[in-house]
Amino acid sequence: MSLSRLHIESFRNISSAQLQPGEGLNLIYGQNGSGKTSILEAIYFLGMGRSFRSHLSQRVIKNDDDALTLFANMESADEQSKIGLRRFRSGDIEVKINGDKVKRLSTLAETLPIQVITPESFSLLFEGPKSRRQFIDWGAFHSDPRFYAAWVNVRRILKQRNQLLRDGSPYSSIQFWDKEFIRYAELVTDIRKQYVDSLNELLKGIIGEFLPLVDVKVSFTRGWDAKTEYAQLLETQYPRDLATGYTVSGPHKADLRLRVGTLPAQDALSRGQLKLLVCALRIAQGKLLKQQIDKKSIYLVDDLPSELDAQHRKLLLQQLADTGAQVFVTAIEPAAIVDSLITPPTKMFHVEQGRVTVIE
């Protein structure tokens, strides 16, 4: 999957922009605040229905405009399609794929798989388990058609269960919900584990290229004691759950652990090494998607040169090229990217004060 045309309107500081990206590496350069990251954010918004920079989508709408508009033509080996999104300041959102209205935003993610590597990507390692669960769930969602419905049901029943706990309900009332909850929780957990196992096979080789002297161990934890049946755990932990007012253990506590020796990766590696590790995770995830369902991701890489020396920039760009995917890379100075490439970028765009110019 790649974008052959991109239209951006009233997004951040971009009033209106038209881009015709190439299938390979697209270099977007300009000074800080020029709007180059906003182009990546717009592509992400088109694929996810939200921003990777702000939880408040209204903030990405330019000035006092009522809405932002994003539109793209997409091409794959055997089909062409169109995707459009309009987000209103009121909070309403309209999405169309090939002219048909789409109700679920998950359809966007299914249609336009996106991998993003930005300074915010460090949250995968430095923040709590939520970011790492989201990373696992992105892959599980794409790799197994059963996952989304099971995940939705886990969230629905967990919300009901927690409300009963806050109300002080006896376990006999909660046990009714637990039977269904356990079924979906175990399915979500099985799919997650299978996905991480498959990812690990690819990940080892990529980490070996990026960090040859570092032994990084990646493992999945399901969110409760692996030696205990979940049904038994929910019953024995009822007094504790009742005291806290929420379900202490379960798939909502799952995590992806990354360790170097006995230390968490974030404590053992430098910032440059951590950036390479995050890149390895994202590249492996995109490659696995291609293997499993024969669909390519689109890679969005913001400020690639920062914290990477010339050798590792070249290595990262080569790994991105090896995916065969469409890549969008931003930098302040184009030489920082061009000098690390074996072949020139497919397309180059210069951004200044929200205006985008194609560089021939």
Side-chain angles (χ1 to χ4, degrees):
M1 183 67 65
S2 62
L3 304 181
S4 58
R5 176 192 169 204
L6 176 65
H7 172 78
I8 304 171
E9 186 177 321
S10 298
F11 194 96
R12 295 286 189 186
N13 66 336
I14 300 176
S15 296
S16 182
Q18 297 272 358
L19 290 81
Q20 292 181 309
E23 289 187 356
L25 188 141
N26 296 270
L27 172 57
I28 304 166
Y29 71 94
Q31 295 301 308
N32 288 330
S34 62
K36 60 184 185 297
T37 301
S38 297
I39 296 174
L40 303 191
E41 188 182 9
I43 297 171
Y44 185 88
F45 207 105
L46 190 57
M48 298 294 289
R50 56 183 171 85
S51 166
F52 61 72
R53 298 167 71 188
S54 172
H55 296 296
L56 301 175
S57 295
Q58 293 91 333
R59 290 184 178 179
V60 305
I61 302 174
K62 188 176 187 299
N63 297 332
D64 296 324
D65 292 345
D66 292 331
L68 64 86
T69 302
L70 303 170
F71 177 84
N73 289 347
M74 301 180 297
E75 295 184 359
S76 62
D78 55 356
E79 65 177 338
Q80 296 183 348
S81 54
K82 297 178 179 180
I83 183 170
L85 180 151
R86 180 166 291 165
R87 178 67 157 79
F88 297 89
R89 195 171 290 279
S90 64
D92 294 336
I93 189 168
E94 292 180 358
V95 179
K96 290 185 178 181
I97 297 177
N98 294 326
D100 297 326
K101 287 187 177 181
V102 172
K103 294 182 179 180
R104 293 191 295 112
L105 290 181
S106 60
T107 307
L108 285 176
E110 188 176 0
T111 304
L112 194 62
I114 290 175
Q115 293 291 341
V116 60
I117 301 171
T118 71
E120 291 84 1
S121 296
F122 281 111
S123 64
L124 191 63
L125 301 176
F126 284 110
E127 292 185 3
K130 182 179 179 180
S131 294
R132 294 185 289 277
R133 274 196 303 276
Q134 289 174 342
F135 172 83
I136 298 170
D137 290 348
W138 186 96
F141 167 78
H142 285 287
S143 66
D144 194 315
R146 300 173 299 167
F147 180 79
Y148 181 73
W151 178 81
V152 167
N153 279 308
V154 162
R155 289 169 59 89
R156 173 182 61 84
I157 301 169
L158 182 64
K159 183 178 180 181
Q160 179 65 37
R161 189 179 197 273
N162 287 343
Q163 185 59 56
L164 289 170
L165 289 168
R166 287 191 291 271
D167 292 342
S169 301
Y171 187 67
S172 57
S173 299
I174 294 175
Q175 195 172 28
F176 169 81
W177 294 94
D178 280 357
K179 292 178 182 178
E180 192 178 15
F181 183 48
I182 291 162
R183 179 162 64 93
Y184 288 119
E186 290 179 342
L187 177 57
V188 163
T189 299
D190 287 344
I191 296 172
R192 283 171 169 172
K193 186 179 185 308
Q194 290 173 16
Y195 178 75
V196 173
D197 288 345
S198 299
L199 184 70
N200 251 330
E201 295 177 14
L202 274 173
L203 193 55
K204 290 176 184 177
I206 300 173
I207 291 178
E209 289 283 335
F210 284 163
L211 303 167
L213 302 179
V214 180
D215 184 18
V216 181
K217 300 292 185 184
V218 181
S219 61
F220 170 70
T221 59
R222 62 182 187 174
W224 71 91
D225 181 10
K227 297 178 182 179
T228 307
E229 291 291 332
Y230 195 37
Q232 177 187 344
L233 185 70
L234 286 175
E235 184 173 357
T236 57
Q237 285 196 349
Y238 165 71
R240 182 182 176 189
D241 290 349
L242 190 66
T244 57
Y246 63 89
T247 307
V248 174
S249 303
H252 54 295
K253 298 293 185 179
D255 199 358
L256 186 72
R257 288 185 177 173
L258 299 101
R259 304 186 75 84
V260 178
T262 60
L263 293 175
Q266 60 268 33
D267 295 335
L269 302 179
S270 68
R271 282 191 65 85
Q273 289 175 317
L274 289 170
K275 184 165 189 173
L276 289 169
L277 180 55
V278 170
C279 293
L281 287 164
R282 294 295 182 186
I283 290 170
Q285 196 167 58
K287 286 187 173 182
L288 184 57
L289 181 73
K290 182 68 171 67
Q291 283 186 11
Q292 290 181 328
I293 62 171
D294 196 27
K295 184 178 284 189
K296 294 178 182 177
S297 300
I298 292 175
Y299 284 87
L300 310 177
V301 188
D302 191 27
D303 196 18
L304 183 144
S306 68
E307 297 169 350
L308 295 180
D309 57 26
Q311 176 186 352
H312 286 110
R313 284 201 298 270
K314 185 174 182 179
L315 183 60
L316 174 56
L317 288 166
Q318 185 57 53
Q319 284 281 353
L320 288 167
D322 288 346
T323 65
Q326 187 177 42
V327 180
F328 294 84
V329 174
T330 68
I332 295 174
E333 295 294 338
I337 301 299
V338 174
D339 292 351
S340 299
L341 293 171
I342 297 174
T343 57
T346 308
K347 286 283 186 75
M348 289 179 63
F349 303 93
H350 179 241
V351 187
E352 185 175 5
Q353 295 181 345
R355 295 188 297 273
V356 184
T357 305
V358 181
I359 305 300
E360 299 295 343

